[in-house]
Amino acid sequence: MMRPGAKQYVVARPLYSEETFAEKHEKVYRQRKTMLNHIKQYFTCDAKRAKNAALSLLPVIGWMKIYRVKEWLLSDIVSGLSTGLVAVLQGLAYCLLASLPPWYGLFSAFFPVIMYFFLGTSRHISVGPFPVLCLMIGSVVTRLVPDEGPPVNITGFEGLTRDEQRVLVASSVTFLAGIMQLAMGVFQVGFVVMYLSDTLVSGFTTAAAIHILVSQLKFVLGLQVPGISGPLSIIYTLEIIINKITSTNVCDVVISLVIMVVVFIVKELNDRFKSKLPVPIPIEVIMTVIACGVSYAFDFKTKYGIDVVGHIPKGYEPPMAPNLHIFQDTAVEAFPMAIVGFAVAFSVAKVYSVKHDYTIDGNQELIAFGVSNIFGASFKSFAASTALSRSAVQESTGGKTQIAGLLSAIIVMIVTLAIGFLLEPLPKSVLGAVVIVNLKGMLMQFRDVPYLWRRDKPDCIVWLGTCIAAILLGLDLGLAAGLGVELLSVVLRAQFPRCSVLANIKGTDIYKDRKDYIDIYEQEGVKIFRIPSPIFFANIDFFRSKLVEAVGFNPLRVLRKRNKALRMIRKLLKKGDLQWTCNGLLNTSCRPIKESEDESNMEELDLPTDFKDLPTRIDWNADLPGNISVPRVEVHSLILDFAAVSFLDISALKGLKTSLKELIRVEVEVYIVACDPYILEKLHHCCFFDDEVQPSMFFLTLHDAMLHILEKHPESTEKKSNCEKIITTVTVHHPGGSLRSTDRNVPDRETRF
């Protein structure tokens, strides 16, 4: 009895194979587009498409149309002012990571923002210096123009000071990264960021945070440490710092500790009371102003030998063409910069777009950042992305659109043109302390490791592999190594999937892994094998080995044993040592039968058994005379569940066909169920079927195939006394109504376990 209100269904329908279903249900014919059709469509242009293209290339037009002046303008102004103050400070601080004079960070907080205002699709991210990118640029800068020793021999360095050479390197590599981003956007390859998983990005940014922390120690401790790039640079830098630790400037350490403690405490308060604070307390800006005033009043530079920002030129420098020779030396480093800059910005933009319910376009973002970096590099800025903390300020202070970003750029411009001189006495240790405090979020990602280890060990290995590689090898090589580990983990998961043997849940049409359930039923002589993965060249051998393991015998070995036995039987019949009787083969010879050692024509052993010159077929599971022994095959039917197989390649087709033929030749009926229509279509196109492997083996569902087998082999079900009914009719319970049943009493269709 069914309890009241319970939901239950029983289906009554014909038993369907793929062929019978296709005969009874006509498909809609769809004209498939050829590659030529796609190319024509891509290059076809009309007025509507031109308009959409123009709007997509200039997203500012779209959101300016819906701009609510009364509701949004005041919020954007407040947000722009707050973000601008933070952008000034971070521009100066992050510029130290790039091994450039601090004021060039102000250029990077201004020029890219202007271009992104017109071309970007995100309304909330704050474009400008990003510490990881700055560090990657710094490694290139110190490689080509080291702190100690002559620079690399590059045409165009003649007559330039060391700082000018470094600025040329930074702007040139930024220009090249911008070209790469623009090219990827134009060719619509924004999907490349999908290969950088959240786990990989988390491990990479954590390693970058450690690099940044080590790079800022020299400012916090007031030490002169040369910039080192390349593999193991972090270890060499730490070695130098430890050797020079006795030369630490105590005043720098005290200033840095005070700044870090105060900023950390206030930031925690901002997070805790963010719902009550109209605007987060700009503690970095406040402490910077205080430190700047104290440094000026007490002349820290002269009295205590503290390294300060120094002279900040007023205004902007004329545009400069990139150096093509630097392009050749930095192409390898520029590509990961382009990817990382876009990946981080796109990830942050995606978070805010979901929160505020609007869409962003990955390809347009690539174009926006590409143009922004090209434009900024022409005016001696370095690669821009978005800093998470700065974007959080812009969004949390009420920013609604990129007008807030434009206003923040205006604040940076005012500092650059008018009041930059006020920041000249600012100790660099203050900037280093601000950078270190802002690393908290990235460093706290270490907490992901225990969680990943418990939930997904391959992801944990990707995280650890990326982090360790980026720490030891450097950020560029570390990113490549992390990507390699990630792709390897994907390949291994697909190459070694968790295959399973399924069994029926009693009284249902549901089939689950037999290891996971107690109340299950396995039909005698039937095996159901499931592979939850695409089948391709890398895992076809694994698939075949697991299939052999599931059925419990190697069909090729059984086939060879049978053909060898058949040869021996023919010889003995010819000699008269064996004869056919009504009870089968009878040994008529008194002498023992010796096993044949004839190994000629070995290739014939792999062919189907041939009974053409024998009176009847041999029952290989019966007792054979003498010492003729052949492994018994208890399986008469095999079902392959292809519900999770998304594609097959040519290598897999060949391997699959070989396996099917081997099974069919040892008299095992093979059925493939839930096969994707496009895979089935591909099998037809690739001439997969022949006299042995036929389309009739494909069934619509697993249960259809099982019912077909039970009808074909009723003797296996009759051996069971305790039977469970397989549901073959449907009863649907409608809430508030009665049960309507389509169950029909059709004895020949009712199958029992």
Side-chain angles (χ1 to χ4, degrees):
M1 292 293 292
M2 185 179 70
R3 58 187 175 82
K7 293 184 178 179
Q8 175 177 326
Y9 76 88
V10 185
V11 177
R13 63 166 175 80
L15 191 156
Y16 282 128
S17 67
E18 290 282 0
E19 288 184 328
T20 56
F21 185 82
E23 289 171 2
K24 294 186 178 181
H25 301 272
E26 186 178 356
K27 291 180 71 175
V28 175
Y29 176 75
R30 289 186 291 172
Q31 181 71 36
R32 297 276 180 87
K33 288 185 178 180
T34 63
M35 182 63 70
L36 185 61
N37 295 137
H38 284 292
I39 293 172
K40 285 181 178 178
Q41 183 181 5
Y42 185 80
F43 287 102
T44 301
C45 186
D46 54 25
K48 183 178 179 181
R49 191 166 184 186
K51 179 183 176 182
N52 290 337
L55 290 175
S56 66
L57 286 174
L58 289 172
V60 63
I61 299 174
W63 58 261
M64 284 296 282
K65 285 181 179 178
I66 60 170
Y67 192 82
R68 304 171 190 170
V69 178
K70 293 182 179 179
E71 298 178 31
W72 292 356
L73 184 58
L74 182 59
S75 298
D76 278 341
I77 291 173
V78 174
S79 175
L81 293 174
S82 304
T83 309
L85 295 174
V86 176
V88 170
L89 179 59
Q90 290 188 349
L92 296 171
Y94 294 158
C95 199
L96 299 180
L97 299 173
S99 300
L100 299 174
W103 61 86
Y104 285 99
L106 299 178
F107 298 171
S108 299
F110 175 73
F111 290 107
V113 180
I114 302 300
M115 298 310 299
Y116 189 84
F117 173 81
F118 295 101
L119 301 175
T121 57
S122 174
R123 303 176 194 170
H124 292 88
I125 65 171
S126 175
V127 177
F130 175 54
V132 177
L133 271 184
C134 294
L135 194 65
M136 296 175 79
I137 291 170
S139 66
V140 178
V141 167
T142 53
R143 179 173 67 84
L144 297 183
V145 188
D147 289 333
E148 298 175 355
V152 174
N153 186 18
I154 293 179
T155 305
F157 276 3
E158 301 85 0
L160 298 179
T161 64
R162 186 179 299 275
D163 284 346
E164 289 172 341
Q165 290 173 347
R166 290 189 164 189
V167 170
L168 180 60
V169 171
S171 61
S172 296
V173 73
T174 298
F175 196 98
L176 181 57
I179 290 174
M180 292 176 177
Q181 289 175 329
L182 180 60
M184 287 190 288
V186 169
F187 290 107
Q188 305 286 291
V189 291
F191 64 86
V192 72
V193 74
M194 291 188 293
Y195 291 101
L196 302 179
S197 66
D198 292 343
T199 306
L200 183 144
V201 172
S202 175
F204 177 77
T205 52
T206 305
I210 294 173
H211 275 282
I212 293 168
L213 176 63
V214 172
S215 70
Q216 295 305 291
L217 288 178
K218 64 181 181 181
F219 298 110
V220 171
L221 300 175
L223 300 176
Q224 295 295 321
V225 179
I228 302 173
S229 60
L232 303 180
S233 60
I234 191 170
I235 295 176
Y236 298 140
T237 303
L238 284 172
E239 181 185 7
I240 295 172
I241 291 173
I242 292 170
N243 290 334
K244 292 186 175 183
I245 197 71
T246 54
S247 304
T248 299
N249 189 314
V250 178
C251 188
D252 270 323
V253 174
V254 172
I255 293 172
S256 301
L257 288 176
V258 171
I259 295 291
M260 284 191 280
V261 169
V262 174
V263 171
F264 178 80
I265 292 173
V266 176
K267 274 182 168 289
E268 289 297 309
L269 293 174
N270 279 340
D271 289 339
R272 181 167 296 185
F273 301 106
K274 59 183 177 182
S275 59
K276 298 180 181 179
L277 292 172
V279 176
I281 301 170
I283 186 61
E284 295 106 320
V285 177
I286 294 171
M287 293 305 295
T288 301
V289 171
I290 293 173
C292 205
V294 172
S295 174
Y296 176 76
F298 293 95
D299 195 10
F300 280 177
K301 181 179 180 181
T302 304
K303 289 183 179 179
Y304 303 104
I306 286 179
D307 193 12
V308 298
V309 170
H311 175 65
I312 297 180
K314 283 188 179 181
Y316 294 103
E317 299 181 14
M320 174 185 63
N323 187 302
L324 298 181
H325 295 279
I326 295 176
F327 281 7
Q328 298 174 4
D329 288 340
T330 60
V332 175
E333 290 102 331
F335 184 70
M337 287 181 201
I339 296 297
V340 170
F342 167 65
V344 172
F346 186 74
S347 300
V348 177
K350 191 162 55 174
V351 170
Y352 290 129
S353 69
V354 171
K355 181 177 180 180
H356 295 278
D357 193 23
Y358 62 91
T359 58
I360 56 173
D361 183 348
N363 292 310
Q364 180 59 29
E365 286 293 292
L366 273 170
I367 292 173
F369 277 103
V371 174
S372 297
N373 283 323
I374 291 171
F375 179 71
S378 302
F379 289 91
K380 301 183 180 180
S381 76
F382 49 84
S385 180
T386 181
L388 280 66
S389 57
R390 194 170 61 247
S391 294
V393 169
Q394 180 165 319
E395 190 268 345
S396 62
T397 52
K400 304 296 183 185
T401 64
Q402 278 300 328
I403 286 180
L406 186 63
L407 291 173
S408 72
I410 292 174
I411 298 297
V412 175
M413 182 182 68
I414 292 171
V415 172
T416 306
L417 295 178
I419 58 175
F421 67 92
L422 296 176
L423 297 172
E424 291 179 4
L426 179 65
K428 288 185 178 179
S429 56
V430 173
L431 298 177
V434 169
V435 170
I436 290 174
V437 171
N438 280 298
L439 295 177
K440 178 202 166 189
M442 290 195 283
L443 290 173
M444 292 301 287
Q445 292 175 139
F446 271 114
R447 293 183 300 181
D448 294 346
V449 176
Y451 172 82
L452 290 172
W453 184 254
R454 291 192 302 268
R455 304 294 182 184
D456 194 324
K457 288 181 175 60
D459 262 359
C460 185
I461 291 171
V462 170
W463 195 101
L464 290 172
T466 304
C467 186
I468 294 170
I471 290 172
L472 297 179
L473 302 179
L475 296 181
D476 48 356
L477 295 177
L479 179 63
L483 189 59
V485 173
E486 181 183 57
L487 294 179
L488 182 62
S489 73
V490 173
V491 170
L492 290 177
R493 291 193 207 201
Q495 189 172 352
F496 303 107
R498 185 182 178 275
C499 301
S500 56
V501 176
L502 307 184
N504 178 255
I505 303 296
K506 288 184 179 180
T508 72
D509 62 343
I510 298 170
Y511 297 81
K512 295 289 185 180
D513 190 337
R514 64 181 180 181
K515 296 179 181 178
D516 295 338
Y517 292 87
I518 298 173
D519 193 21
I520 60 171
Y521 174 77
E522 289 187 86
Q523 178 64 31
E524 186 176 347
V526 181
K527 293 290 182 182
I528 307 170
F529 181 74
R530 182 176 186 270
I531 178 169
S533 163
I535 307 177
F536 59 107
F537 66 92
N539 69 356
I540 182 61
D541 290 333
F542 177 81
F543 166 75
R544 295 181 66 182
S545 66
K546 283 294 182 181
L547 185 58
V548 168
E549 185 181 320
V551 296
F553 63 90
N554 187 318
L556 185 58
R557 290 181 183 175
V558 172
L559 179 62
R560 288 173 177 173
K561 285 278 189 182
R562 288 185 179 183
N563 280 327
K564 280 186 178 182
L566 204 56
R567 282 184 183 181
M568 187 183 298
I569 290 170
R570 284 196 175 98
K571 285 184 180 180
L572 295 173
L573 286 171
K574 192 174 182 180
K575 291 179 181 179
D577 292 339
L578 287 179
Q579 67 178 21
W580 286 99
T581 67
C582 58
N583 294 323
L585 289 168
L586 178 65
N587 185 4
T588 59
S589 174
C590 296
R591 59 181 182 271
I593 297 174
K594 295 183 179 179
E595 189 172 351
S596 173
E597 299 294 335
D598 182 14
E599 298 294 335
S600 61
N601 298 323
M602 289 294 293
E603 64 275 4
E604 292 182 3
L605 298 178
D606 295 344
L607 298 177
T609 49
D610 186 4
F611 302 102
K612 62 183 178 182
D613 56 347
L614 299 179
T616 184
R617 297 177 66 89
I618 297 174
D619 182 2
W620 297 110
N621 286 337
D623 292 330
L624 298 177
N627 63 345
I628 300 175
S629 64
V630 174
R632 297 195 176 194
V633 176
E634 305 295 340
V635 177
H636 59 71
S637 300
L638 171 68
I639 302 176
L640 300 178
D641 184 359
F642 270 30
V645 178
S646 56
F647 73 86
L648 293 166
D649 67 1
I650 297 300
S651 299
L653 290 181
K654 293 178 181 177
L656 177 63
K657 187 170 184 178
T658 300
S659 293
L660 296 183
K661 283 193 171 187
E662 290 171 358
L663 288 161
I664 291 169
R665 288 172 182 178
V666 294
E667 299 172 4
V668 175
E669 299 165 5
V670 183
Y671 303 92
I672 299 177
V673 302
C675 185
D676 187 275
Y678 296 102
I679 293 179
L680 196 55
E681 186 178 330
K682 182 177 182 178
L683 296 179
H684 283 284
H685 288 163
C686 294
C687 302
F688 182 78
F689 302 107
D690 55 23
D691 293 338
E692 292 178 281
V693 181
Q694 298 181 349
S696 58
M697 68 170 53
F698 286 83
F699 277 75
L700 206 62
T701 69
L702 200 162
H703 200 56
D704 283 308
M706 180 59 81
L707 294 179
H708 173 76
I709 292 169
L710 295 178
E711 285 186 353
K712 198 170 182 180
H713 300 273
E715 70 282 354
S716 60
T717 16
E718 290 170 359
K719 295 178 184 178
K720 297 289 180 181
S721 56
N722 296 327
C723 303
E724 293 288 342
K725 183 179 179 182
I726 295 180
I727 303 297
T728 56
T729 54
V730 164
T731 303
V732 182
H733 176 65
H734 295 270
S738 60
L739 288 173
R740 295 186 296 177
S741 177
T742 60
D743 192 3
R744 285 181 277 178
N745 187 16
V746 187
D748 61 333
R749 276 292 177 209
E750 184 179 287
T751 308
R752 293 181 179 272
F753 278 175

